[in-house]
Amino acid sequence: MSLENSSADRLTCPSSPNPMHYWAEIDENAPTIRLRWFMDQIEVLDCTLRDGGYYNDWDFDPDLVSSYLRAMAESGIRRVEIGFRMAPQPHFMGPYAYSTDKFLKSLAADRALKLGVMINASEYIRYFGGGAKAVSLFFADRKDSVVDFVRIATHFDDIDACREIAGSLKQLGYDVCVNLMQSAGRSQEQLASCARKISSWNAVKVLYFADSFGGMVPKEVESTIAALRLGWDGVIGIHAHDNAGKALANSIRAVELGTQWVDATVLGMGRGAGNVATENLLIELSRLGHGNFSVNPLLPLVIGKMAALKDRYRWGSNALYFLSATYNIHPTYMQELLSSGQYDTYQILSALEFLQTADAKSFSKAGLQQALAQYSGESRGAFQPKGFAQDKDVLLVGSGPSLERHLEGITQFIEAHRPCVLCMNVNPAFPAKWVDAYLAAHKLRLISEAHRYLSLEKPLICPFGELPESVRETVSGLKILDYGMRVTANRFEIADDHCSVPAPLAIAYGFAFAKAAGARKIFLAGCDGYPSNDARQIEMNHICTAFQNMQNPIPVVSITPTTYQVARGSVYAPVV
């Protein structure tokens, strides 16, 4: 492949509404010449406050927003998607979820900035009397609004119903954009057909394609643009997610192929792994000669207030987001799993394992709970624990820092009280000689640690039926006490050969096993807890409360320091 003209003698097309340049590209293997073009001024659409709001419920600090809007104007960015314009929601969301005209007028944004909002097509289609009715409720005439453009985010199945939304918005005077979500993996005919439909409406200024799962590569960007061009000769935009770390490369490739609008967010803040980082995109566009941008006004924001937000919410590409993109898993699943702080490594990996075999292209809370549960079917085990700890106390041993600090006191407690000692998961800090059995509930943790149980030579209590055949073979030399388990939200149920617990955690499984075994009291050691605002603390307290709210509960007492909502004693208290 060779270029007929160098960049120094590109040809200008003066009849175009925008300054475009063309050059000839000759395919050495074919007698055809293809024309390629690029624009001097690319429209970078920054959507930090809209896409970033998924992390903080669209409730941004006013000082940060003031700094952000000023930096946008000074950097050469002309368009900002300030937020959503949602219908009323049944829970708190900040002002950028609704982006009302009254609120936007209070922002005192630079007049050079054109502000836009996004609407979810599915929400407007189903609201009241349809899309046109919703538009009339939520949008004033353009001349009475500070909003310049409106972007309609739509799934392919809702395209036909978007026609009246787009037409109504154009009639009000807005520039209309359509954002085709989940464009990756679509056939050429799907894309071309969709583009032809939208073109026929004569209402849309910019047609966007979104790499919603962040799994596209530049080659797929090329084929997507080529397919859209079969039915659309207007402006194309790209919204690239960074799950696979290719958002910047995909965006630049799109620009090289004539895409004129490119989305970005400061530090890449956005749902899931986030988006192209605005600062990186400006640097690269400037380097390639596409537009007059300056990254310098953004840098104080990048290393200051936005960096603090990133430290707090921890967005950005990583191996888990990469896998979710590969498996076509909606990025909100990973965002929920990683950002809540509620789930440990094994829960996250187990959920990912489940989601890759499920239809996870759309996010739902129910789907997340199902992915986390994993134990929702038939759960009967081969072992009945009745009598295992009859009229005895059970000591559940965790791995918190207090275990090592008070280890001598705990061993003296065991010698004095002679409880049935169940160690939760493998714990090298607690001597195996004091353990009557090990107890493990989480399937993926069992899979990863199966070999470690072999050297302990103590019984293993677990929902054995949930394990893959290869793992069963690995632990075949152990004495397995197969007590079945399934996960049922918000409650405990205890049966002879299985239990239902609120979460697949060892402490919940231990509570259920101890009750089924006939224990009179449960002691906890090394179950320290987490900070009060930590999601894991909330979940653990929920488990403790649910267990103690059972009919005929048995007492739970921690003998080492804990923040869980259980009774508290001391490993050093005398025996009376």
Side-chain angles (χ1 to χ4, degrees), residues 248-444:
L248 180 59
N250 288 339
S251 297
I252 293 301
R253 186 60 184 136
V255 168
E256 291 172 345
L257 294 169
T259 295
Q260 295 161 252
W261 286 38
V262 187
D263 283 9
T265 57
V266 179
L267 274 177
M269 187 181 190
R271 181 160 57 179
N275 312 297
V276 186
T278 304
E279 59 277 11
N280 294 344
L281 180 63
L282 297 190
I283 291 171
E284 192 67 2
L285 288 175
S286 297
R287 186 181 71 82
L288 295 172
H290 299 310
N292 298 312
F293 299 107
S294 172
V295 74
N296 291 338
L298 285 177
L299 296 181
L301 198 63
V302 167
I303 64 176
K305 294 176 181 178
M306 288 299 298
L309 279 184
K310 188 169 186 178
D311 287 343
R312 179 177 179 182
Y313 295 112
R314 298 182 296 175
W315 70 82
S317 185
N318 58 38
L320 293 175
Y321 277 122
F322 193 103
L323 285 172
S324 70
T326 303
Y327 300 143
N328 285 329
I329 296 170
H330 196 285
T332 300
Y333 283 110
M334 277 297 110
Q335 177 179 316
E336 289 286 321
L337 289 166
L338 292 171
S339 66
S340 73
Q342 183 174 350
Y343 310 112
D344 64 26
T345 301
Y346 298 103
Q347 288 175 290
I348 292 171
L349 293 176
S350 182
L352 181 62
E353 180 184 49
F354 174 85
L355 290 167
Q356 68 176 290
T357 62
D359 183 6
K361 292 182 179 179
S362 297
F363 174 78
S364 70
K365 287 287 187 182
L368 178 62
Q369 290 305 314
Q370 186 179 9
L372 287 164
Q374 300 287 300
Y375 303 93
S376 55
E378 181 59 43
S379 57
R380 298 184 182 279
F383 176 73
Q384 296 187 9
K386 186 176 181 179
F388 187 85
Q390 193 66 40
D391 298 326
K392 294 184 68 175
D393 298 330
V394 166
L395 174 63
L396 292 178
V397 179
S399 57
S402 66
L403 182 71
E404 290 192 66
R405 178 178 174 84
H406 301 290
L407 184 57
E408 185 175 349
I410 293 169
T411 58
Q412 291 173 359
F413 177 90
I414 293 171
E415 289 178 326
H417 288 264
R418 298 296 178 182
C420 175
V421 180
L422 305 181
C423 185
M424 294 184 286
N425 304 309
V426 177
N427 188 346
F430 191 73
K433 69 177 183 178
W434 298 109
V435 178
D436 292 302
Y438 288 85
L439 181 144
H442 201 279
K443 179 172 68 174
L444 206 63

Side-chain angles (χ1 to χ4, degrees), residues 18-36:
N18 295 297
M20 298 182 184
H21 299 294
Y22 293 81
W23 71 88
E25 186 176 53
I26 302 174
D27 190 334
E28 295 168 351
N29 300 313
T32 58
I33 297 177
R34 293 187 294 241
L35 290 178
R36 297 178 62 193

Side-chain angles (χ1 to χ4, degrees), residues 5 40 45 86 104 120 165 167 169 225 234 378 380-381 407 415 423 433 465 480 483 495 514 537 542 545 561 572:
N5 297 314
D40 277 341
L45 171 57
M86 296 182 182
L104 295 181
N120 285 314
I165 299 176
L169 288 167
I225 293 173
E378 181 59 43
R380 298 184 182 279
L407 184 57
E415 289 178 326
C423 185
K433 69 177 183 178
I480 301 293
Y483 184 54
Q537 178 76 3
H542 172 73
T545 300
Y572 301 107

Side-chain angles (χ1 to χ4, degrees), residues 41-55:
Q41 181 62 51
I42 298 297
E43 288 282 6
V44 173
L45 171 57
D46 190 279
C47 47
T48 304
L49 303 183
R50 197 273 302 168
D51 213 344
Y54 284 102
Y55 281 100

